[in-house]
Amino acid sequence: MKYLLYILLLSYPMASMAQNRAQESKMVKDLRKFFAKYKPKDQVLTQAPQMLDYKLDNKSQKITITADEFFAAQEFSPELKADIYKRIRKELPKPYRKYEITIVTNGMSIDALIPNRLSKDIDKSRMWGDVEYDGNPWTQNLSYPAKTTHGLNNRHVSLWASHGRYYDVNRGTWKWQRPKLFGTTEDLFTQTIVVPYLIPMLENAGAVVFTPRERDWQKHELIVDNDDKASGTSYIEVYAKHEWTDAGTKGFASHRGTYKDGENPFEAGTARMAKTTSKKNNYSLISYMPKFPEEGRYAVYVSYSTLENSVDDASYTVWHKGEKTEFRVNQQMGGGTWVYLGTFDFDKGSSQYNRVILTNRSARHNGVVTADAVRFGGGMGNIERGGLTSGLPRCLEGARYYAQWAGMPYKVYSSKNGTDDYGDDINTRSLMTNHLAGGSCYVPSQAGLNVPIELSLAVHSDAGYSKDGTGLIGSLGICTTGFNNGHFNTGMSRMASRDFADALLSNAARDIIYKYGKWNKRELFDRNYSETRIPEVPSAIIETMSHQNFPDMMYGQDPNFRFTLARSLYKTILRYVNDQHGRQSVVTPLTPDNFHIEFTDVDEVRLNWRAVNDPQEATSKPTGYIVYTSTGSSGFDNGTYIRADNSHRIKLEPGVLYSFRVAAVNAGGCSFPSEVLCALYNPGATKDILIVDGFHRLSSPAVRNTQFEQGFDIDEDPGVTLGPTAGWVGRQLCYDTGSMGIDGEDGLGWSADDMTGIFVAGNDRNHVRTHAEAIKEAGRYNIISCSSEAIENGKVDLAHYQLADIVLGLERNDTHSLEYYKTFTPAMRERLEAYVSRGGSLLVSGAYTGSDMTSPDEQSFLANVLKCRFGGRNRTSGGLAEGLGTTIQFYNTINEKHYAATSADVLNPIPPAYAAMRYSDGPNACVAYKGDDYRVITTGFPLECIRSKQKQTSIIKGLINFLLK
């Protein structure tokens, strides 16, 4: 009996151990199963997470689970963390359910992955804390008429659009860094988000934005410099009490021809300097006056030297088309490189009304103002590699080449010592950011130019495709937290970058889904990428979408989507930066709509508009507006601030054509401006003409999307961008869905290179002005104008006007755009029918005036009101029409000067109406009706597309006179 008891006692621990091993084995099996099946809510992981390891400590009753990076690549919150632990605890065998559980992924517990914005316990190591820049900003527009207090005022950020054209050293050729797909390449596509949308949004919020790639899409470049008094430019020094003398430092000087690797233009010349004065009238100045080869928009860059006694309020004035904008530049930072002030409209030729002036005026006594070159326009690439330049505008090249032109040290733009431009370009973006920020409070222990840059963002697109051709890939975020022992230059935790990337990714998905109904939020990867490892400030990469997946690019090529995405990125930056400093954020308003002008007296007009609500952003409501005004051919002024009112009265000088734009403002900054509307008071006029802007459309090119084909057909319809775009590489060549995912020329989406370097003109929202300038020449009418929305919503009564000039441009319902556009909505048709029934005359022009009218009611409108029928599309006339005793040539091919009507309507008259113009190959281009009840003229092409300004004026005058005779 004792022996049996002894055996039992011996066997009990063995049985217990076996049971424990079984339970542990089951635990491991269940945990592996849990992670393999784990799917985060509202997020798409391209690979199921895995449990990599575990540690079981029965003595202390603790379980530590190690998961892979895919488990870390989700958005964590306190609620999600609690839910994960709760679900895991349920999976465990009963003996382990009371154990303390810790999940480790990417070397840290999931508790640490909760971003500060979602955490109840703020991690102060991820905050700047006492680190704060409170001096004058690098640049400041003193002419801005409102005050930004809760935006990004006095914040400096670095931002760039991924890749660019580069020189392949091994193959001896310039090439794109990414494949040519769906009419574009990542090198170009990301610019279409960053340049026209994201950078202006940040600047409208008060931020100073640095970008290591050339931002200006202007091909011309003019430099006025003390070292090179080139033909056609004018550099003048004017002395008062203090003379301009040599600054004793190296400065910019250019030479003819191209630049070889290692040449630094900012070490080839000299700079000037003058002691400061506070006097308002007796001061010294330098005038920089270029000779512009053509009228257009040009970025303005200044340069100077930073000396020990440099001032932080150097006074620059940019004269642009007779208007002036004043800037204050902090010369205590950023010396020896190009410093961006803004982009302005300039006249052709050389004029004192188109120049930059620097004075020695300052509030700082015993300081100096320094002066070097001033640059106008982005220009063409001039960096030679392998005996070749890219042959493209500088803005299409990689950052490596702009950095050299901007005077960066060789180690900044050529970390690979000239052997690998691809690698150089990737590193340059971050190294240039660090070089500028070095010495500032945010990067104090690194030498640099003292610019207080506190954030960097790289905007990319990604590869990948949905095999069924219908699914979305979506957005991906990237950060790097493990470099330099997890700290930035100030000692701040690099987890700040994860917080930033997390917010970018989550907010983009939220905002896109809110607006368009669906989008995929992908992983947030913590990986070793140059653009997130090298910066010494919080940094992130946002892979906006897949450039290889057509469903993604159907969104990406729509300008409305780009605006939505850019606004999301701007809002994230706004909140992230302000949260870092314990400040409140106010989101900028949206652009006002229903803009319209009406006469309130013979020589007085009232501008009216409506605020646009942003349902997502309670703070974005406007508290005021800015009305921008241009008279005659002058440029727009800097605006008049209107406090919390949706209208503004203005007295008109007789015979002067006024142009207006309006933007909404609040404490967070300024919206994008509205379309341009015009007004003219003509003494002695007995008739008033209303010009109606009905061209609002922004869209991708025509879409092919079937079981067998996917892509964009630029020849069928090139789409419409907001202003010009640099986003097209060429026409798509391969539409075959059977070749999906194949790299190279046989792959779906592959595109030609025939549009590379062409900045395709788009909708500049300035078409009313074109018509108004022509009508003004008739010399006998008053002019007023409105958006078509204002007529549709009943805010404008057509009965007050003898003629309505309906400008439709490329407006139409193309069925694939993310926003709805229509030449004549039901409301507009109803109001026009009532208008002509009372004897009102109509001038209607556009490329889709007939083809967009497809339903029986719409065709009835064409027949009964416009007196015409749609007769097909015309693509074979070469953009030529004949009639009214002349031949008319209009833009019908993609170009840089003006948007093109690549396909025009054929309009056939319904008697007694008749054809007033024909295309050169025969079909009818214009229908005129002269009845006893009313008169109407309808053209199948936009009148503003007429190439010759003189002929355009003559034709519009003639049509107007016919209608009002």
Side-chain angles (χ1 to χ4, degrees):
M1 186 66 179
K2 290 182 178 180
Y3 179 75
L4 179 60
L5 182 60
Y6 177 72
I7 295 297
L8 289 173
L9 290 171
L10 286 175
S11 63
Y12 177 78
M14 296 176 62
S16 179
M17 290 174 60
Q19 186 180 13
N20 288 343
R21 283 196 297 271
Q23 288 175 335
E24 183 174 342
S25 177
K26 183 178 185 307
M27 177 192 75
V28 173
K29 182 179 179 181
D30 290 344
L31 286 175
R32 292 192 188 282
K33 186 177 179 181
F34 169 83
F35 282 98
K37 290 186 175 182
Y38 180 83
K39 291 184 179 180
K41 184 181 179 181
D42 301 327
Q43 193 163 2
V44 177
L45 302 182
T46 54
Q47 183 175 313
Q50 294 182 23
M51 184 180 78
L52 301 177
D53 197 6
Y54 74 98
K55 182 179 180 182
L56 179 62
D57 188 337
N58 287 310
K59 185 176 180 181
S60 59
Q61 293 193 329
K62 292 182 179 180
I63 303 172
T64 302
I65 303 164
T66 303
D68 69 357
E69 68 166 352
F70 282 90
F71 192 72
Q74 60 181 310
E75 179 186 56
F76 285 92
S77 66
E79 295 76 18
L80 177 62
K81 181 198 76 170
D83 182 65
I84 290 172
Y85 280 127
K86 181 179 178 180
R87 290 165 60 187
I88 282 183
R89 200 172 296 279
K90 286 183 178 180
E91 296 290 333
L92 297 176
K94 285 186 178 180
Y96 302 124
R97 291 181 183 176
K98 294 183 179 181
Y99 280 34
E100 180 184 335
I101 305 169
T102 302
I103 302 174
V104 175
T105 177
N106 270 6
M108 63 193 83
S109 73
I110 62 173
D111 302 62
L113 298 180
I114 299 173
N116 270 351
R117 78 178 198 282
L118 300 178
S119 178
K120 298 174 183 177
D121 300 312
I122 299 298
D123 180 359
K124 293 184 179 179
S125 72
R126 308 180 193 187
M127 309 289 288
W128 285 118
D130 294 335
V131 179
E132 172 77 85
Y133 177 73
D134 58 3
N136 279 343
W138 195 6
T139 64
Q140 184 178 9
N141 182 347
L142 299 180
S143 298
Y144 179 63
K147 189 174 182 180
T148 302
T149 57
H150 291 73
L152 289 166
N153 40 302
N154 208 11
R155 300 298 172 194
H156 301 70
V157 299
S158 182
L159 168 71
W160 56 87
S162 61
H163 308 276
R165 193 81 162 187
Y166 83 106
Y167 181 74
D168 187 328
V169 175
N170 294 326
R171 298 189 177 184
T173 185
W174 286 81
K175 59 193 289 190
W176 298 117
Q177 295 187 35
R178 292 295 183 263
K180 299 174 294 181
L181 297 173
F182 300 117
T184 190
T185 171
E186 182 185 353
D187 307 53
L188 301 177
F189 170 67
T190 52
Q191 277 203 60
T192 65
I193 300 168
V194 169
V195 174
Y197 293 111
L198 182 52
I199 289 178
M201 287 176 184
L202 293 167
E203 291 176 337
N204 285 348
V208 177
V209 180
F210 165 74
T211 181
R213 291 182 65 180
E214 173 60 59
R215 69 168 69 192
D216 190 14
W217 290 352
Q218 170 62 251
K219 291 182 178 180
H220 296 297
E221 179 184 45
L222 300 101
I223 298 175
V224 185
D225 181 28
N226 63 291
D227 290 304
D228 180 17
K229 301 173 180 60
S231 174
T233 66
S234 176
Y235 174 90
I236 300 174
E237 294 182 352
V238 177
Y239 305 111
K241 179 179 179 181
H242 301 297
E243 293 189 0
W244 295 99
T245 61
D246 187 88
T249 63
K250 293 180 179 179
F252 178 88
S254 61
H255 62 65
R256 301 295 177 264
T258 60
Y259 281 73
K260 293 183 173 14
D261 196 37
E263 282 191 272
N264 189 335
F266 277 87
E267 293 184 349
T270 62
R272 307 288 284 168
M273 60 176 282
K275 291 182 179 180
T276 59
T277 180
S278 60
K279 295 182 178 180
K280 293 184 178 181
N281 299 316
N282 191 22
Y283 55 82
S284 302
L285 64 83
I286 297 178
S287 171
Y288 300 84
M289 190 167 68
K291 184 176 182 179
F292 293 99
E294 61 181 355
E295 179 184 6
R297 290 183 64 76
Y298 296 77
V300 174
Y301 297 87
V302 300
S303 62
Y304 49 84
S305 294
T306 295
L307 305 178
E308 185 176 353
N309 54 341
S310 288
V311 299
D312 62 356
D313 62 345
S315 174
Y316 288 86
T317 301
V318 180
W319 286 89
H320 46 101
K321 284 197 164 190
E323 297 293 338
K324 67 175 183 177
T325 303
E326 297 181 6
F327 289 89
R328 181 173 64 194
V329 176
N330 189 339
Q331 292 193 345
Q332 294 174 358
M333 62 179 73
T337 190
W338 296 120
V339 181
Y340 175 77
L341 294 186
T343 300
F344 305 89
D345 292 305
F346 292 99
D347 290 312
K348 180 179 179 179
S350 181
S351 163
Q352 63 179 332
Y353 299 112
N354 297 273
R355 60 175 173 162
V356 171
I357 291 176
L358 167 66
T359 76
N360 69 333
R361 288 188 58 205
S362 171
R364 310 294 179 243
H365 299 293
N366 301 318
V368 296
V369 170
T370 60
D372 200 355
V374 173
R375 178 163 71 96
F376 302 81
M380 301 294 289
N382 62 349
I383 305 300
E384 179 185 313
R385 301 291 288 134
L388 304 169
T389 63
S390 70
L392 295 178
R394 184 178 289 118
C395 61
L396 305 187
E397 298 179 342
R400 182 196 197 277
Y401 313 106
Y402 176 75
Q404 181 177 349
W405 186 233
M408 293 297 103
Y410 190 70
K411 64 180 181 180
V412 168
Y413 69 82
S414 188
S415 57
K416 305 291 185 180
N417 294 315
T419 62
D420 178 8
D421 283 21
Y422 179 89
D424 280 344
D425 182 50
I426 294 173
N427 293 333
T428 294
R429 307 162 201 164
S430 302
L431 292 172
M432 199 172 180
T433 298
N434 285 349
H435 180 70
L436 263 69
S440 73
C441 61
Y442 299 112
V443 189
S445 62
Q446 180 173 318
L449 302 186
N450 306 313
V451 181
I453 293 172
E454 59 179 292
L455 194 73
S456 76
L457 173 63
V459 180
H460 286 252
S461 59
D462 203 0
Y465 65 97
S466 172
K467 293 182 180 179
D468 65 4
T470 62
L472 290 166
I473 300 301
S475 302
L476 171 78
I478 299 171
C479 64
T480 304
T481 65
F483 184 65
N484 193 30
N485 295 318
H487 295 94
F488 292 116
N489 190 261
T490 59
M492 180 188 197
S493 170
R494 283 183 172 264
M495 287 297 292
S497 289
R498 193 183 195 281
D499 283 7
F500 180 41
D502 180 286
L504 289 165
L505 182 61
S506 297
N507 293 340
R510 180 201 64 190
D511 291 343
I512 294 169
I513 290 171
Y514 180 88
K515 182 74 173 177
Y516 303 115
K518 58 181 179 178
W519 194 247
N520 281 349
K521 178 170 65 175
R522 296 166 61 198
E523 295 92 348
L524 170 58
F525 284 130
D526 189 342
R527 291 178 171 176
N528 186 4
Y529 279 67
S530 168
E531 291 167 295
T532 52
R533 180 189 72 248
I534 293 176
E536 289 293 349
V537 294
S539 54
I541 294 172
I542 183 74
E543 301 278 5
T544 54
M545 67 195 70
S546 172
H547 52 245
Q548 191 181 12
N549 192 53
F550 183 64
D552 283 41
M553 292 306 290
M554 284 183 66
Y555 283 94
Q557 292 290 27
D558 191 303
N560 292 292
F561 178 89
R562 296 174 193 163
F563 177 91
T564 298
L565 175 59
R567 185 164 167 87
S568 179
L569 300 179
Y570 140 70
K571 291 188 298 183
T572 297
I573 293 171
L574 168 73
R575 291 191 171 105
Y576 180 86
V577 169
N578 282 335
D579 287 350
Q580 281 284 335
H581 298 283
R583 296 187 176 184
Q584 292 182 335
S585 295
V586 172
V587 176
T588 55
L590 295 172
T591 304
D593 66 7
N594 283 264
F595 189 22
H596 58 287
I597 307 174
E598 58 186 347
F599 277 107
T600 55
D601 203 343
V602 292
D603 63 347
E604 183 185 72
V605 294
R606 182 171 60 217
L607 280 59
N608 307 275
W609 56 84
R610 185 181 71 176
V612 175
N613 181 45
D614 184 346
Q616 285 186 279
E617 301 296 342
T619 67
S620 70
K621 294 180 180 179
T623 56
Y625 299 89
I626 298 176
V627 173
Y628 302 96
T629 305
S630 166
T631 55
S633 60
S634 68
F636 277 97
D637 63 15
N638 289 287
T640 300
Y641 178 71
I642 310 298
R643 185 183 298 276
D645 192 0
N646 288 33
S647 66
H648 180 54
R649 292 176 183 261
I650 294 179
K651 283 278 189 180
L652 304 182
E653 293 292 327
V656 177
L657 181 64
Y658 286 75
S659 299
F660 304 100
R661 296 185 301 197
V662 62
V665 295
N666 61 19
C670 183
S671 75
F672 281 25
S674 69
E675 69 269 60
V676 175
L677 294 185
C678 296
L680 171 71
Y681 159 55
N682 203 336
T686 59
K687 296 180 180 179
D688 296 340
I689 294 176
L690 174 69
I691 306 176
V692 181
D693 184 3
F695 180 19
H696 314 289
R697 179 173 167 239
L698 300 172
S699 73
S700 74
V703 167
R704 295 192 200 176
N705 191 17
T706 69
Q707 179 182 353
F708 306 104
E709 286 190 320
Q710 283 188 336
F712 299 104
D713 189 340
I714 290 177
D715 290 322
E716 173 62 26
D717 179 356
V720 189
T721 59
L722 179 63
T725 182
W728 297 115
V729 67
R731 290 166 171 81
Q732 186 171 333
L733 301 176
C734 181
Y735 293 87
D736 181 13
T737 56
S739 61
M740 194 180 299
I742 296 176
D743 292 331
E745 297 183 8
D746 296 327
L748 173 65
W750 187 258
S751 302
D753 222 4
D754 56 312
M755 294 171 66
T756 293
I758 299 175
F759 300 140
V760 179
N763 186 352
D764 61 11
R765 311 190 77 190
N766 195 29
H767 317 299
V768 166
R769 192 173 191 172
T770 300
H771 283 237
E773 288 172 343
I775 296 171
K776 176 181 180 294
E777 294 303 310
R780 64 180 77 174
Y781 308 113
N782 292 324
I783 298 173
I784 214 73
S785 52
C786 71
S787 168
S788 59
E789 305 165 309
I791 294 177
E792 294 164 357
N793 293 331
K795 296 182 181 299
V796 171
D797 186 354
L798 289 169
H800 295 158
Y801 309 99
Q802 286 70 52
L803 179 127
D805 177 5
I806 314 294
V807 183
L808 294 174
L810 301 180
E811 193 82 351
R812 71 160 175 153
N813 176 24
D814 55 30
T815 72
H816 64 261
S817 291
L818 294 173
E819 300 289 336
Y820 177 75
Y821 303 99
K822 189 70 176 176
T823 48
F824 299 102
T825 64
M828 178 62 84
R829 296 200 306 270
E830 180 181 345
R831 284 160 175 74
L832 291 179
E833 287 172 5
Y835 176 64
V836 298
S837 71
R838 296 190 293 267
S841 294
L842 285 177
L843 173 60
V844 178
S845 65
Y848 303 103
T849 48
S851 55
D852 199 37
M853 299 284 97
T854 56
S855 73
D857 287 346
E858 292 168 347
Q859 291 176 359
S860 176
F861 171 81
L862 276 182
N864 296 330
V865 176
L866 302 187
K867 306 299 183 183
C868 63
R869 291 190 180 92
F870 174 58
R873 309 292 293 148
N874 182 273
R875 302 175 186 272
T876 57
S877 67
L880 291 174
E882 299 169 348
L884 307 180
T886 187
T887 298
I888 302 162
Q889 187 174 16
F890 60 90
Y891 291 104
N892 74 321
T893 57
I894 292 170
N895 67 92
E896 297 186 330
K897 298 291 185 183
H898 196 278
Y899 82 81
T902 58
S903 178
D905 270 0
V906 174
L907 301 174
N908 294 323
I910 296 176
Y914 58 91
M917 299 183 205
R918 289 184 170 85
Y919 296 109
S920 61
D921 53 349
N924 297 321
C926 172
V927 171
Y929 169 69
K930 182 174 69 171
D932 294 332
D933 46 357
Y934 68 95
R935 297 187 180 191
V936 60
I937 290 178
T938 308
T939 68
F941 62 91
L943 294 173
E944 61 272 19
C945 282
I946 296 174
R947 288 176 177 263
S948 164
K949 187 72 173 177
Q950 181 179 3
K951 187 153 292 188
Q952 183 182 76
T953 298
S954 174
I955 294 296
I956 293 178
K957 279 174 55 181
L959 296 177
I960 293 291
N961 289 336
F962 167 83
L963 291 168
L964 291 179
K965 189 173 181 180

